[in-house]
Amino acid sequence: MDKNMLINYIADSYGVSPEHPWESHPDYMVFRHDVNRKWFAVIMNIPKNKLGLGEGEIDIVNLKCEPLLTGALRQESGIFPAYHMNKNNWVSVCLDGSCDDDKIIRLLNMSFGLTAPKIKKKTR
């Protein structure tokens, strides 16, 4: 899955458009919930060497995941400790075809759920 496919999937599935909060990085995109404004995905283009992948640049998406899964996920192809995010709760996923599209969608759905507004229980 590449960056444009992911942007389209997010728009179609969640009705969310990207925000560009950093003037110094106009290609970085944040996707967040309308109600609580929490981020569920951040797409960036970073130097490959930040992930230990050599020279050049690579598109990645940062996704929130269950803390118990982060260690196991980072053992899989195309998934790394989160770039510029909490590494216990977030992972960086390469958008270069090294990670299976279905896995990216499952991780995106998990991130969306983990950051969704909480339903408050009524008290009596």
Side-chain angles (χ1 to χ4, degrees):
M1 177 173 291
D2 67 18
K3 175 174 72 172
N4 291 325
M5 290 173 60
L6 183 59
I7 293 166
N8 290 334
Y9 180 86
I10 292 170
D12 293 344
S13 299
Y14 305 119
V16 176
S17 297
E19 297 178 20
H20 303 272
W22 301 288
E23 284 185 32
S24 60
H25 296 287
D27 293 334
Y28 286 18
M29 295 172 233
V30 171
F31 298 85
R32 63 172 96 210
H33 294 275
D34 286 334
V35 175
N36 64 6
R37 307 300 293 153
K38 286 187 179 182
W39 299 1
F40 63 88
V42 182
I43 295 177
M44 298 179 273
N45 182 274
I46 65 169
K48 285 183 174 182
N49 64 11
K50 298 293 184 182
L51 301 177
L53 296 175
E55 299 300 316
E57 293 191 338
I58 190 167
D59 289 326
I60 63 166
V61 61
N62 281 352
L63 300 167
K64 189 166 188 175
C65 66
E66 292 286 352
L68 294 175
L69 296 178
T70 56
L73 286 169
R74 290 186 294 220
Q75 302 303 311
E76 297 186 27
S77 178
I79 302 177
F80 295 87
Y83 177 74
H84 268 295
M85 302 284 277
N86 181 309
K87 290 164 183 30
N88 292 322
N89 298 314
W90 292 78
V91 292
S92 288
V93 181
C94 295
L95 299 175
D96 65 349
S98 61
C99 186
D100 183 64
D101 290 359
D102 291 336
K103 179 158 297 265
I104 294 172
I105 298 303
R106 285 194 304 274
L107 291 171
L108 176 66
N109 290 335
M110 180 190 307
S111 184
F112 187 84
L114 289 170
T115 56
K118 305 297 181 226
I119 299 172
K120 295 181 181 183
K121 294 181 181 179
K122 293 181 181 179
T123 56
R124 295 182 176 175

